[in-house]
Amino acid sequence: MSERDQDQARQLIAAARAAAVHAHAPYSRFAVGAAVLLDDGSVVTGANVENASYGLSLCAETVAIATVSASGRLRRVMAVGVIGGAMDASGRATGDAPVRPCGRCRQVLNEAAQLSGRDLAVHCAGAEGEEVASYRLSELLPDAFGPSDLGVR
């Protein structure tokens, strides 16, 4: 990974860790934060939001992408950082192992990727620690179904 990509990963992981502080995860006790980099250098964050009706819960990546879309910038997504970890008694996310987007989030990220014409960089880390696992979205979701399959460009 180039120095520029490493800087990007560090920036996004730091923003995702800051976002995870705001996770509402009283049921799973697993906090996730996400940070989305746009082509103008701005970063949009999200944290997971659980609901007593579990199916209505939102993942951090989905919250961040929905925020980007609500501002009309879905085609401007370049990269994403994701962190997560089990919450301790004080509600702080813990753990060193990199957390990767779930399948649903990979599909949501793919929408932005196909619309932007980019194979997004996805940087994954634990709530703590230095290890970062970086991928291209196409590695995490090969042969993805998306807007192009429905004739949307």
Side-chain angles (χ1 to χ4, degrees):
M1 187 173 358
S2 72
E3 177 104 16
R4 181 174 165 251
D5 290 341
Q6 289 175 2
D7 288 343
Q8 177 188 88
R10 280 190 287 274
Q11 173 194 15
L12 291 173
I13 294 303
R17 285 180 173 151
V21 170
H22 303 292
H24 175 70
Y27 309 108
S28 71
R29 303 290 300 158
F30 195 88
V32 179
V36 174
L37 176 67
L38 303 180
D39 60 4
D40 64 0
S42 62
V43 175
V44 176
T45 61
N48 56 321
V49 180
E50 294 180 352
N51 187 281
S53 175
Y54 295 127
L56 299 180
S57 297
L58 300 171
C59 297
E61 301 91 325
T62 301
V63 170
I65 290 293
T67 302
V68 168
S69 183
S71 67
R73 301 183 294 171
L74 192 56
R75 294 175 187 271
R76 299 179 68 183
V77 174
M78 294 186 62
V80 64
V82 179
I83 70 95
M87 297 167 77
D88 65 14
S90 71
R92 185 179 65 84
T94 63
D96 293 337
V99 171
R100 290 150 187 86
C102 71
R104 177 177 179 247
C105 287
R106 293 174 193 203
Q107 186 65 41
V108 168
L109 291 170
N110 182 63
E111 189 81 6
Q114 284 195 12
L115 291 174
S116 71
R118 296 181 180 97
D119 190 2
L120 304 181
V122 181
H123 307 291
C124 307
E128 305 168 302
E130 298 298 318
E131 183 182 355
V132 176
S134 294
Y135 306 90
R136 289 289 166 187
L137 183 59
S138 61
E139 294 175 88
L140 296 174
L141 189 65
D143 301 318
F145 178 85
S148 61
D149 295 294
L150 299 174
V152 176
R153 303 256 181 253

